[in-house]
Amino acid sequence: MPDDLRDAKPAKIRCDACPVMCFIADGKSGACDRYANHAGELVRLDPLTVIQSGAKAVAFLDQGNNAQDWDGDVIQGGRDFVTAVGAGTTYPDYKPAPFIVSQEVEGVDMVTVVTEGIFSYCGVKVKIDTDRHIGDERAVVRVDGEAIGHVMTSEYGSKMLSLGGVEHLTGGSKKEGRVTCDALLRLCNRDAVEMTIDGGVTMVVEAGKPPIINGTPEKLMRVGCGSATIGMFAKQWHGHVDEVVVVDDHITGVLSEHEAGKGLDMTPSGIRINGRRSTPGRYFQVADPGTGWGGTDVEDPLTILRPADPKRAWPGLRLLMISTTGEQWAYFILDDGLEPQPADITPELLTIAERIAENCEPSLCSVLFMGGAGGSLRAGVTENPVRLTRSVKESLTHVSCGGAGAYVWPGGGITVMVDVMDMPTNSFGYVPTPALVAPIEFTLRREDYGTLGGHMEHIQPVGDVVTTDVRRVAQQALQSDPNARENYGWAKDDR
Ligand code: SF4
């Protein structure tokens, strides 16, 4: 062979792991930085991730819904669970999943089918523990000026965002799709993302961390609404104060008028509140929503009071106004004209304010990835994809994402939702179509895998897959110990 041909570098090779079909030169990586050409061989750049020991998953049922001889613990002490993180993808052509791994678990032959799915139908649901008004329901959420999602219905003590989805990824401009994909990737990989809400706040969201709202880190999630707070602390306030108003954007509570105050035979104080009375001692819409006291726009609590009722109020009446987290409070004494005058709070009332704060939980951002396993992903598992769907619905097949148990939505398809904090760090990737790449594993009994038309000829023993090159991470009881991630090396240094 002539020297010039012998020394020639291998030609570019084509990656067929996603529809972009990159041609990759030797020593270079493709557009997603997940695959590279290494001396003419297409290689996945991130190591396959294996989890050791861990938490219980769901119990498996047989066709008659009876518990099986395997208890459904997919990640058991001492055994390796091969996740799809770093496994590679098989889209868009039909191919079996990259790894179909067999393993004996408590005497039962099990198979785990492992693949990184390319999800164009995907997004995140974000729960932000705060009372503060971040924006109206349905307001658009933006990153770099591009719409990436919207504010959805609030939950108790939390605001909720729905981000991503196919309309932002592929239904808008190219920039909108790219920015949305990048924001989703960073949120799922537990990085911080700054976003603005139309007509609302600027906010930094990072999974497992407090939200930073208009530059201020949120500290506490309220213990309850204003009415609930009255109910919880009425007895402790009784005797130390004549009236308490708990300021809340949802329900502002007024102690002496509230059922809890009546139960303590409190004298009606004549303190009157702006807003719409719902039931005695419970008021809606005392102010506009905002980032002040109790999720209202109130900075001065007296602005929610109407003049006191002269037939009931009395000079010297002791009035405490407090927010739902106990972080803001103000104490007043009514003067001879029944006007509230600021006064020094008593030690007893201060202790109760601190107790309200103590009963609040730390404010956190929670990021749940949600995606649908489409037909081609299912075809990587079985020649008859609908049987996989049925097997999942019948609880014969357990679905996990990076080893974390996934909630499977009822109804058609395999639509999963999983907390990114339960997954190994850096579990997610992307392709420039744009779409998110997320790990997904299907674990089931070997005989059930054969029954649903699985790719039996591609099954490999776990020992062939778990080599010294794999990345090992420890599964811990992360949710019960907020410090566990750092303690057990699940932090960013594990990337
Ligand atoms: S974007 Fe990534 S997965 Fe898609 S073809 Fe290029 S290198 Fe392969």
Side-chain angles (χ1 to χ4, degrees):
M1 185 188 293
D3 282 352
D4 56 336
L5 282 183
R6 191 179 300 122
D7 296 340
K9 293 206 166 185
K12 286 183 177 179
I13 56 173
R14 198 184 75 165
C15 173
D16 60 355
C18 95
V20 177
M21 300 279 189
C22 296
F23 279 95
I24 310 174
D26 186 25
K28 302 283 185 201
S29 59
C32 66
D33 288 332
R34 296 188 311 126
Y35 285 90
N37 178 346
H38 181 66
E41 194 189 341
L42 186 69
V43 292
R44 178 74 177 85
L45 287 171
D46 304 303
L48 183 67
T49 297
V50 170
I51 293 180
Q52 294 174 303
S53 90
K56 288 272 180 188
V58 296
F60 273 49
L61 305 175
D62 65 15
Q63 301 283 6
N65 281 354
N66 299 310
Q68 295 282 286
D69 44 2
W70 178 60
D71 71 358
D73 185 353
V74 296
I75 306 171
Q76 296 178 323
R79 103 174 170 95
D80 293 322
F81 180 77
V82 179
T83 76
V85 181
T89 37
T90 57
Y91 186 74
D93 300 337
Y94 157 74
K95 299 179 211 80
F99 294 101
I100 304 176
V101 180
S102 67
Q103 198 168 22
E104 190 176 291
V105 180
E106 293 183 354
V108 182
D109 283 337
M110 303 298 300
V111 170
T112 300
V113 185
V114 165
T115 188
E116 286 180 308
I118 297 177
F119 291 89
S120 18
Y121 280 85
C122 77
V124 295
K125 308 297 177 215
V126 183
K127 174 172 166 282
I128 298 160
D129 302 331
T130 183
D131 270 351
R132 287 178 217 285
H133 179 69
I134 59 169
D136 290 337
E137 203 176 299
R138 303 184 300 280
V140 173
V141 179
R142 296 180 190 275
V143 169
D144 294 339
E146 297 294 326
I148 68 158
H150 62 274
V151 178
M152 56 179 187
T153 46
S154 300
E155 299 300 339
Y156 199 96
S158 306
K159 303 294 190 254
M160 303 291 293
L161 307 178
S162 179
L163 306 179
V166 72
E167 289 195 19
H168 293 294
L169 283 169
T170 58
S173 68
K174 200 167 174 182
K175 186 180 175 203
E176 179 179 334
R178 186 174 52 73
V179 170
T180 300
C181 187
D182 180 64
L184 293 179
L185 180 66
R186 286 190 285 145
L187 286 168
C188 287
N189 282 338
R190 306 188 214 162
D191 285 333
V193 174
E194 182 173 294
M195 51 191 79
T196 56
I197 298 174
D198 286 1
V201 300
T202 296
M203 190 164 54
V204 177
V205 173
E206 183 177 352
K209 296 276 173 60
I212 301 172
I213 299 173
N214 286 341
T216 305
E218 184 63 289
K219 292 195 189 88
L220 297 176
M221 176 186 186
R222 70 180 186 181
V223 62
C225 68
S227 172
T229 306
I230 290 276
M232 278 181 275
F233 294 96
K235 207 166 167 197
Q236 298 180 42
W237 280 316
H238 190 224
H240 299 295
V241 69
D242 300 307
E243 188 62 280
V244 179
V245 176
V246 181
V247 182
D248 178 19
D249 180 51
H250 176 211
I251 305 173
T252 289
V254 182
L255 177 59
S256 71
E257 191 188 334
H258 192 277
E259 200 54 38
K262 286 185 189 158
L264 294 166
D265 286 331
M266 286 192 70
T267 306
S269 69
I271 295 295
R272 296 190 294 194
I273 308 289
N274 284 321
R276 181 158 67 83
R277 190 170 181 257
S278 163
T279 54
R282 300 168 76 252
Y283 291 82
F284 297 147
Q285 299 155 16
V286 297
D288 287 330
T291 56
W293 285 47
T296 66
D297 62 350
V298 165
E299 298 297 337
D300 173 4
L302 294 180
T303 56
I304 70 163
L305 299 187
R306 291 192 287 138
D309 179 355
K311 295 196 191 98
R312 295 192 162 171
W314 63 92
L317 184 149
R318 300 163 298 171
L319 168 65
L320 175 69
M321 300 190 77
I322 191 163
S323 69
T324 41
T325 57
E327 290 169 292
Q328 296 110 329
W329 49 259
Y331 184 60
F332 305 94
I333 308 271
L334 262 53
D335 63 16
D336 291 344
L338 302 181
E339 291 290 333
Q341 299 300 336
D344 290 337
I345 193 167
T346 63
E348 293 83 3
L349 294 179
L350 191 57
T351 300
I352 301 167
E354 288 165 355
R355 191 164 300 149
I356 293 174
E358 183 189 334
N359 274 272
C360 296
E361 292 169 77
S363 171
L364 289 178
C365 298
S366 305
V367 175
L368 271 72
F369 168 77
M370 185 166 168
S376 68
L377 189 153
R378 285 178 253 166
V381 181
T382 162
E383 290 171 353
N384 201 349
V386 73
R387 287 205 185 166
L388 176 65
T389 312
R390 288 186 196 135
S391 178
V392 169
K393 294 289 147 76
E394 289 162 1
S395 299
L396 295 171
T397 295
H398 175 71
V399 186
S400 55
C401 292
Y407 172 74
V408 182
W409 279 72
I414 303 175
T415 304
V416 298
M417 200 158 70
V418 62
D419 182 352
V420 302
M421 293 302 286
D422 289 343
M423 301 170 71
T425 49
N426 221 23
S427 285
F428 291 81
Y430 80 102
V431 291
T433 53
L436 222 56
V437 176
I440 188 163
E441 305 97 26
F442 300 93
T443 302
L444 66 171
R445 293 155 63 98
R446 189 182 182 118
E447 65 181 84
D448 291 335
Y449 189 49
T451 305
L452 63 80
H455 305 298
M456 304 299 282
E457 67 283 10
H458 290 272
I459 294 177
Q460 314 175 64
V462 68
D464 290 0
V465 175
V466 182
T467 64
T468 50
D469 295 336
V470 300
R471 167 199 182 203
R472 290 173 179 272
V473 295
Q475 171 84 8
Q476 305 293 340
L478 297 173
Q479 296 293 11
S480 59
D481 178 3
N483 297 318
R485 291 166 231 284
E486 276 67 37
N487 294 346
Y488 294 104
W490 272 55
K492 289 177 180 165
D493 58 1
D494 138 36
R495 295 180 180 192

